[in-house]
Amino acid sequence: DIVMTQSPDSLAVSLGERATINCKTSQSVLSSSNNGNSLAWYQKKPGQPPKVLIYWASTRGSGVPDRFSGSGSGTDFTLTISSLQAEDVAVYYCQQYYRSRTFGQGTKVEIK
Amino acid sequence: QVQLVQSGAEVKKPGASVKVSCKASGYTFSVYYIHWVRQAPGQGLECLGWIRTANGDTDYTPKFQGRVTLTRDTSINTVYMELSRLTSDDTAMYYCVRENWFYDFWGQGTLVTVSS
């Protein structure tokens, strides 16, 4: 299994400030067939199903605000919220889909 | 628009089985795999397995092998997840999801509570 490790487990950021979440995979998720990284980011709010924010490591999902961005390649990835808004309070998960599917343990984002 | 609509909440006793349905609409059912993911209270997201809706092929996460069964009815664009030999550890929200490499659409979730 590909193990996903997110850091930090939680973070508190002031409104309008930057939030950065890291995700490390136990092996590379870079596909040689399409040169894409099989890595997605999801946002989970209480009482709602998860929502995809980023896929192929850096492609924003439909309707996702451009303050959300994804970067990285191989085994190290980052989700950045450039200017935190109140509605961004949630738990964020990374997921690899290179081999089967596994999620990181989640990172809780709160307002400082 | 794409929708995955799941059946309602269930309360089961330990040792029983539960069967949850997921009805798809708004796209060609047989083109996309359906996966099942659960989230126990205070825990993260966990994959149970998937079904290839075109032919019924399945694959299950080893942890659930032997306890989970995924089936589908193409006449009504519905996938079913049955989990047997329930314990309190199976209390969770269960989601069906459409796989497009990543998970692009999610059902609303079905709460399964296991309690004596």
Side-chain angles (χ1 to χ4, degrees):
Chain A
D1 284 7
I2 297 178
V3 178
M4 314 288 288
T5 305
Q6 291 181 228
S7 61
D9 289 333
S10 65
L11 75 161
V13 176
S14 300
L15 289 172
E17 295 300 304
R18 179 184 299 261
T20 301
I21 302 169
N22 300 300
C23 176
K24 190 172 183 67
T25 61
S26 61
Q27 66 183 82
S28 176
V29 296
L30 176 61
S31 172
S32 57
S33 61
N34 65 359
N35 208 34
N37 287 282
S38 303
L39 193 288
W41 290 94
Y42 299 85
Q43 178 190 62
K44 176 70 171 71
K45 295 181 179 180
Q48 298 181 21
K51 171 187 173 183
V52 64
L53 296 175
I54 302 287
Y55 55 92
W56 297 118
S58 61
T59 302
R60 259 190 305 276
S62 176
V64 175
D66 60 7
R67 64 180 180 273
F68 292 94
S69 64
S71 63
S73 184
T75 61
D76 292 280
F77 300 90
T78 300
L79 174 70
T80 301
I81 309 172
S82 62
S83 175
L84 191 75
Q85 305 300 302
E87 61 265 31
D88 301 334
V89 170
V91 179
Y92 293 84
Y93 294 91
C94 59
Q95 179 208 36
Q96 67 79 22
Y97 46 94
Y98 179 82
R99 181 173 298 125
S100 189
R101 307 287 184 282
T102 47
F103 290 95
Q105 79 277 17
T107 295
K108 186 175 186 178
V109 174
E110 299 172 308
I111 305 294
K112 185 187 290 183
Chain B
Q1 72 283 21
V2 174
Q3 281 193 304
L4 298 173
V5 179
Q6 300 180 221
S7 49
E10 301 266 10
V11 179
K12 296 292 182 180
K13 293 194 182 304
S17 298
V18 67
K19 192 169 186 177
V20 179
S21 67
C22 170
K23 183 172 177 59
S25 61
Y27 70 97
T28 302
F29 178 70
S30 60
V31 170
Y32 296 89
Y33 291 36
I34 293 290
H35 292 225
W36 288 82
V37 175
R38 77 178 188 181
Q39 184 173 37
Q43 302 300 308
L45 300 169
E46 183 175 36
C47 302
L48 284 78
W50 54 256
I51 184 166
R52 184 177 181 181
T53 51
N55 63 5
D57 283 351
T58 56
D59 187 61
Y60 304 123
T61 300
K63 174 180 177 178
F64 299 100
Q65 189 83 37
R67 281 212 302 140
V68 67
T69 304
L70 302 182
T71 55
R72 96 279 191 229
D73 184 338
T74 56
S75 68
I76 55 172
N77 291 356
T78 298
V79 172
Y80 302 92
M81 186 281 299
E82 184 169 21
L83 189 62
S84 62
R85 304 193 301 277
L86 293 168
T87 73
S88 57
D89 289 343
D90 295 315
T91 293
M93 186 70 79
Y94 289 76
Y95 297 99
C96 62
V97 294
R98 191 180 83 163
E99 183 237 300
N100 188 9
W101 290 98
F102 54 97
Y103 294 159
D104 61 356
F105 288 95
W106 295 65
Q108 83 277 17
T110 297
L111 181 62
V112 174
T113 303
V114 183
S115 174
S116 55

